[in-house]
Amino acid sequence: MFDFQIVTNWFDELLRGCMPEFWVLTIEFVLVGVILLTLYALIALALIYGERKICAFFQCRLGPNRVGTWGVLQPIADMFKILLKEIISINHIDKVLFYTAPFIVIASSFLAFGALPFGKGMQVLDFNIGIFYILAVSSLGIVGILMAGWASNNKFSMIGAMRSGAQLISYELSAGISLLTVVALAGTMQLCEIVEAQADGWFIFKGHIPAIIAFIIYLIAGHAETNRGPFDLPEAESELTAGYHTEYSGIQFGFFYLSEYLNMFIIAGIATTMFLGGWMPFHISGWDGFNAIMDYIPSVIWFFGKVTLLIFLSLWVRWTFPRLRIDQLLHLEWKYLLPINMVNLVVMAIIVVYGWHF
Amino acid sequence: MSSFTTYFTSLFKGIKSLLTGMKVTIKEFFTPKVTECYPENRHTTLHVPERFRGELIMIHNEQNEHSCSACGLCQMNCPNGTIKIESEIIETEDGKKKKVLKNYFYDLGSCTFCNVCVMNCPQGAIKFENTFENAVFRREILVKKLNHEGSKMKEKKVAEQKPTNTNKE
């Protein structure tokens, strides 16, 4: 399996051969930033197209089919539309908070995005507390949402932001504990080690029942954290027009939109890394021939394939279930997910201590 | 103890109902789509219902004959003044004076498609067609002459049995 580290090391040595370390680092930082930003934008466009197409298919329609073949250029046309729109200035808002809120939302999702391992050796940040870092920065987005709701001077925005706050704080617990279950199994928080540990079987198979329960709970909690699907009450259009981003227009709204789609990708990416082996191919221990064939498929394709599958699952859920009420939402979290999750964590700890996992 | 069992039964019932919902939507995902790709399918799969009222036409047969007697009932009954009939008096071979249709003007732009003209026509000379692509750039074009060029009124039933006579007249 091709290790992308070879390319980066070669490039690093090439630069170090002809310039001082300060410039080497500057060039590398800028390059990584540009590549990640491009990837971020491209993935968002692909997700918007996929979402619109899949949502249409679930509703027995064809979806966008006029701009380009099968409407593939539709998100690009939408992007230009949103870039060209006027940013409407609103009276009686808290200007500083109002204009920084979209940046905080997008920055938090971008920070989490940068730490995902996309393939073998293709990871920008590899902390020894990687998963802890991702959980921390991805929940920073709520600050931006609360700021947007507060600064808009609009009661719909305010209610939307408060709902979003209640929702995120509740579901962050479930997401954190279900990921802790995997950390207990893996014995490490470093993302690259977690992926390496799944070389002879993904954690969802290795940890059997508790891992499967943790996986489902993580999908539910992650879905709730992205403010989508049946959990989209922060922006419930029938009650709150558009919730916390009611007053935003043009590219500011575009930032919220972009980060919402990328959060979906990040949640799917974390679930892939923690439960489905990240970029690791499907291996069955003992079947060497089968494993060798699986290794021929590049690691990037494995990662994006699994992520696409999980995103499809999330869209499937989104277009199936009706929106929850706020009390039902908190009921689900505090009465069902959290107790089950805690018991699950204890069960996983027992299994790991006695070595009952595969 | 009973609350303990209801907790778990409600949990599993909830999961079951969610899975049922997901089964329904995934079936919908694979069913043929109902979207009409309109301009491409106008000659293939496009289906406009038979009774859809697109525009008024006057029925003509193969001999370019209509059955309008220029009585003016449609014009009188039209709530919008959409129909305008121009008639003339001609003298037939046997010396009788007869009113015949000269021009039948129909303004599509002011028609509300109420069907009152068709219901009031004693001859059944006019009807609504389901052709709906009537958009034009100037509203003058919307005023249409419904009787075809050189058409005449259909003869009475005696004459209809001998169609060769009609051309001699």
Side-chain angles (χ1 to χ4, degrees):
Chain A
M1 178 153 275
F2 179 70
D3 192 347
F4 197 73
Q5 204 89 47
I6 298 164
V7 179
T8 47
N9 285 343
W10 168 79
F11 189 72
D12 186 54
E13 276 162 28
L14 188 82
L15 284 184
R16 275 175 201 280
C18 55
M19 56 184 74
E21 189 172 0
F22 171 74
W23 286 110
V24 171
L25 288 179
T26 313
I27 289 175
E28 284 176 356
F29 289 160
V30 169
L31 260 181
V32 166
V34 168
I35 291 170
L36 276 185
L37 273 176
T38 319
L39 201 63
Y40 191 89
L42 287 180
I43 288 176
L45 290 181
L47 279 178
I48 290 170
Y49 176 73
E51 151 107 43
R52 293 188 58 178
K53 219 50 182 171
I54 289 171
C55 132
F57 270 63
F58 274 123
Q59 294 168 351
C60 216
R61 306 181 278 120
L62 284 180
N65 57 358
R66 295 287 133 162
V67 194
T69 327
W70 301 104
V72 279
L73 298 179
Q74 182 72 47
I76 294 163
D78 282 351
M79 181 189 76
F80 280 114
K81 184 199 78 174
I82 226 164
L83 286 177
L84 292 174
K85 271 190 170 180
E86 184 191 358
I87 297 178
I88 300 165
S89 60
I90 300 152
N91 295 334
H92 311 301
I93 51 165
D94 191 328
K95 284 214 163 53
V96 179
L97 294 186
F98 188 79
Y99 289 117
T100 45
F103 290 100
I104 289 188
V105 171
I106 206 161
S108 89
S109 84
F110 189 70
L111 283 172
F113 178 75
L116 288 176
F118 295 105
K120 196 175 168 82
M122 284 173 85
Q123 191 179 3
V124 180
L125 287 170
D126 194 16
F127 290 137
N128 55 355
I129 49 161
I131 194 63
F132 187 61
Y133 165 80
I134 287 183
L135 271 180
V137 291
S138 65
S139 40
L140 272 182
I142 183 62
V143 178
I145 289 175
L146 284 173
M147 274 163 66
W150 172 255
S152 294
N153 191 22
N154 176 334
K155 49 185 173 295
F156 291 140
S157 302
M158 191 64 215
I159 296 170
M162 294 318 289
R163 282 184 183 184
S164 185
Q167 181 176 332
L168 213 104
I169 288 167
S170 313
Y171 279 86
E172 195 66 40
L173 271 173
S174 277
I177 292 179
S178 60
L179 290 183
L180 262 186
T181 317
V182 179
V183 171
L185 181 61
T188 173
M189 276 183 162
Q190 195 165 359
L191 287 174
C192 76
E193 281 181 23
I194 288 176
V195 175
E196 288 293 344
Q198 301 179 67
D200 53 341
W202 303 345
F203 279 153
I204 194 163
F205 302 125
K206 267 187 165 178
H208 46 91
I209 297 163
I212 290 168
I213 293 173
F215 179 62
I216 292 167
I217 288 177
Y218 182 73
L219 285 185
I220 296 171
H223 201 83
E225 274 184 59
T226 53
N227 293 335
R228 293 167 59 79
F231 309 106
D232 61 347
L233 47 157
E235 47 192 286
E237 62 266 34
S238 47
E239 306 154 23
L240 303 176
T241 52
Y244 57 88
H245 55 58
T246 307
E247 299 290 353
Y248 285 90
S249 56
I251 189 64
Q252 292 177 322
F253 169 72
F255 276 4
F256 282 114
Y257 196 53
L258 207 66
S259 71
E260 182 189 317
Y261 278 93
L262 254 296
N263 280 337
M264 185 167 75
F265 179 84
I266 290 163
I267 294 297
I270 297 173
T272 302
T273 310
M274 300 300 282
F275 296 96
L276 301 181
W279 46 261
M280 196 55 83
F282 183 67
H283 284 167
I284 298 171
S285 54
W287 295 21
D288 289 333
F290 178 78
N291 293 350
I293 292 168
M294 285 296 167
D295 280 344
Y296 277 112
I297 302 172
S299 55
V300 182
I301 291 179
W302 274 108
F303 180 79
F304 280 97
K306 291 173 200 170
V307 167
T308 312
L309 204 73
L310 289 184
I311 286 174
F312 177 78
L313 193 69
S314 120
L315 290 176
W316 182 8
V317 167
R318 175 174 187 190
W319 295 105
T320 301
F321 302 133
R323 183 186 303 131
L324 272 71
R325 246 179 9 236
I326 184 79
D327 64 316
Q328 292 168 334
L329 179 93
L330 297 177
H331 189 85
L332 173 70
E333 162 62 21
W334 294 100
K335 279 190 171 174
Y336 289 95
L337 293 189
L338 193 63
I340 293 172
N341 220 339
M342 284 173 153
V343 172
N344 194 38
L345 180 59
V346 173
V347 171
M348 181 57 105
I350 293 169
I351 284 179
V352 169
V353 166
Y354 287 98
W356 288 337
H357 59 86
F358 298 116
Chain B
M1 195 64 196
S2 69
S3 69
F4 184 77
T5 48
T6 45
Y7 179 86
F8 281 100
T9 48
S10 70
L11 179 67
F12 287 111
K13 263 184 193 163
I15 292 172
K16 194 175 160 247
S17 80
L18 291 182
L19 289 179
T20 314
M22 289 178 81
K23 205 176 91 185
V24 170
T25 44
I26 201 71
K27 263 186 204 156
E28 198 68 16
F29 188 79
F30 290 109
T31 49
K33 305 296 170 252
V34 294
T35 309
E36 299 259 5
C37 292
Y38 163 57
E40 292 91 356
N41 78 347
R42 51 152 54 118
H43 298 305
T44 52
T45 57
L46 182 67
H47 173 70
V48 183
E50 202 59 31
R51 287 161 62 200
F52 179 77
R53 296 177 201 153
E55 63 174 328
L56 190 69
I57 59 147
M58 184 170 279
I59 306 161
H60 287 72
N61 64 6
E62 300 88 61
Q63 281 85 35
N64 201 13
E65 291 171 332
H66 56 77
S67 38
C68 177
S69 60
C71 65
L73 273 178
C74 48
Q75 184 180 2
M76 281 187 281
N77 278 294
C78 180
N80 309 311
T82 296
I83 296 166
K84 207 173 161 202
I85 293 173
E86 287 177 5
S87 58
E88 57 185 354
I89 309 287
I90 56 159
E91 207 162 310
T92 49
E93 281 174 344
D94 47 339
K96 278 182 186 169
K97 285 193 173 170
K98 195 185 173 190
K99 191 178 173 191
V100 292
L101 182 71
K102 198 174 155 202
N103 287 318
Y104 191 107
F105 289 117
Y106 163 66
D107 185 4
L108 185 59
S110 67
C111 182
T112 54
F113 310 99
C114 62
N115 210 27
V116 170
C117 51
V118 176
M119 287 193 292
N120 277 291
C121 184
Q123 315 284 341
I126 46 176
K127 71 163 184 177
F128 270 106
E129 278 258 288
N130 64 356
T131 49
F132 62 96
E133 290 166 327
N134 295 319
V136 285
F137 285 101
R138 285 182 296 119
R139 68 211 290 204
E140 297 87 68
I141 306 174
L142 288 173
V143 181
K144 290 175 181 176
K145 192 184 158 198
L146 292 192
N147 54 329
H148 293 179
E149 208 54 54
S151 64
K152 56 175 75 134
M153 197 194 165
K154 208 184 282 176
E155 288 298 311
K156 291 280 153 52
K157 270 178 184 170
V158 196
E160 255 181 31
Q161 286 163 350
K162 305 168 195 166
T164 41
N165 290 351
T166 49
N167 289 335
K168 278 181 191 170
E169 250 179 72

